[in-house]
Amino acid sequence: MASPATPSALRVEHVDDGAIVVLAIDRPHRGNALDSQTLAGLHRVLDSINGDPTIRAVVLTGTGSVFCAGADIKAAPEDLTDLDATPYSSLRARATSTVAVTMAAQELMASAFEKIHRLRQPVIAAVNGAAVGGGFALALACDMRYACPTATFGAVFIRHGVSACDMGTSYHLPRLVGASRAAELMLTGRVFDAAEAAAIGLVLEVVETEALVERAIDKAREIACHSPLAVWMTKETMWQNVDAPSLRHALDLENRTQIMCTSTGDLANSFAAFRDDGTAIRKPL
């Protein structure tokens, strides 16, 4: 049976008076692999962040030399003993087969990644090492990625006789690098390095390991200086319009979002500041 998660399974650090959260998976002895207990804790942390208007951006990383090795394959899927705060406790209780129990474990992980993608605050991945399998999907779920020189990436399940379409990979990867490139990476299952990840646009920049998290925090600060509603609506609208069925659909959503944001008064304040001193507001609103 998997050992219960301890508070150290996830490290949460608040930066800039709490405006930025650095969230680290802290299971270096297991390659920061995610067991059900850690995933249940991740759900709770994400729900807390999403409901806190003082938090403006999130940096996600791992401790040690691995970002995330994906699911902890040594933890049995039936060890879902800490799921009271998740929607899957009832499924676990009603399960009549190992398939149902395994499905609950699969949903626990996939829905955590979906929460990251749907979080109101932008999430920046600081990929400090290997991000393969579910760890690759975790990095893809974030809004942007930085990587250290030793970081590696890969959709590797196809090597083990399982579909490489895993935890959102088949959704995110084609949108980030194009369908043909995504097909090549997923059908070969090859592991590629940080330099290639930067060349294909998967990561923004390759940063020395010791400066990686701080670089991600600096980018978070650039975002945090803007109106919280404007950031939230920009993130949400952009990702929704990635799937827009038409330009008209995208324009309609943009128009509604823009008009809604003008009601906060931030736009008028910014224009007033520009008239007064020729600069736009750069402090958090």
Side-chain angles (χ1 to χ4, degrees):
M1 178 176 292
S3 59
T6 66
S8 63
L10 296 168
R11 287 196 296 107
V12 180
E13 179 186 357
H14 293 268
V15 179
D16 292 355
D17 296 324
I20 298 166
V21 166
V22 178
L23 174 59
I25 305 167
D26 192 17
R27 302 186 75 223
H29 59 292
R30 297 292 302 139
N32 293 325
L34 300 169
D35 64 354
S36 60
Q37 312 305 322
T38 305
L39 283 165
L42 182 60
H43 273 278
R44 288 190 289 268
V45 171
L46 292 172
D47 288 342
S48 175
I49 290 171
N50 200 45
D52 189 342
T54 67
I55 297 174
R56 311 295 295 282
V58 179
V59 173
L60 177 64
T61 192
T63 59
S65 59
V66 176
F67 175 69
C68 178
D72 190 339
I73 60 174
K74 290 189 176 180
E78 61 268 20
D79 292 335
L80 304 181
T81 57
D82 190 27
L83 305 189
D84 291 342
T86 74
Y88 308 108
S89 54
S90 59
L91 177 58
R92 170 68 176 88
R94 296 195 306 269
T96 57
S97 69
T98 56
V99 171
V101 173
T102 304
M103 186 63 179
Q106 186 87 355
E107 282 290 327
L108 180 68
M109 189 170 184
S111 61
F113 293 5
E114 182 184 17
K115 277 184 181 178
I116 289 170
H117 187 63
R118 290 280 296 158
L119 207 66
R120 295 179 181 184
Q121 300 89 343
V123 183
I124 304 168
V127 183
N128 58 298
V132 295
F136 184 39
L138 176 60
L140 296 178
C142 299
D143 297 290
M144 57 194 82
R145 288 149 293 280
Y146 290 94
C148 72
T150 58
T152 54
F153 304 84
V156 298
F157 280 109
I158 199 167
R159 294 181 172 187
H160 306 286
V162 181
S163 168
C165 301
D166 172 58
M167 303 293 169
T169 297
S170 64
Y171 179 88
H172 293 301
L173 191 58
R175 287 163 172 79
L176 294 170
V177 303
S180 180
R181 176 71 69 183
E184 186 270 329
L185 293 173
M186 294 176 70
L187 290 170
T188 63
R190 67 181 180 87
V191 175
F192 57 100
D193 62 17
E196 183 175 350
I200 65 177
L202 187 64
V203 303
L204 294 175
E205 187 181 341
V206 179
V207 183
E208 291 300 324
T209 303
E210 60 272 15
L212 178 65
V213 171
E214 192 58 40
R215 181 70 183 91
I217 291 173
D218 285 343
K219 182 59 64 176
R221 289 185 176 121
E222 286 186 56
I223 296 168
C225 71
H226 301 302
S227 158
L229 180 62
V231 170
W232 174 18
M233 289 296 99
T234 298
K235 170 177 174 171
E236 184 170 284
T237 304
M238 187 199 77
W239 286 120
Q240 287 190 23
N241 279 344
V242 165
D243 296 326
S246 67
L247 174 61
R248 183 70 262 167
H249 180 98
L251 288 170
D252 286 346
L253 186 57
E254 287 181 344
N255 290 341
R256 286 162 174 75
T257 301
Q258 290 255 290
I259 296 304
M260 180 175 65
C261 287
T262 61
S263 66
T264 64
D266 292 338
L267 181 64
N269 292 337
S270 183
F271 281 174
F274 186 84
R275 287 194 302 269
D276 292 342
D277 60 16
T279 61
I281 293 176
R282 296 296 298 170
K283 296 180 180 179
L285 297 171

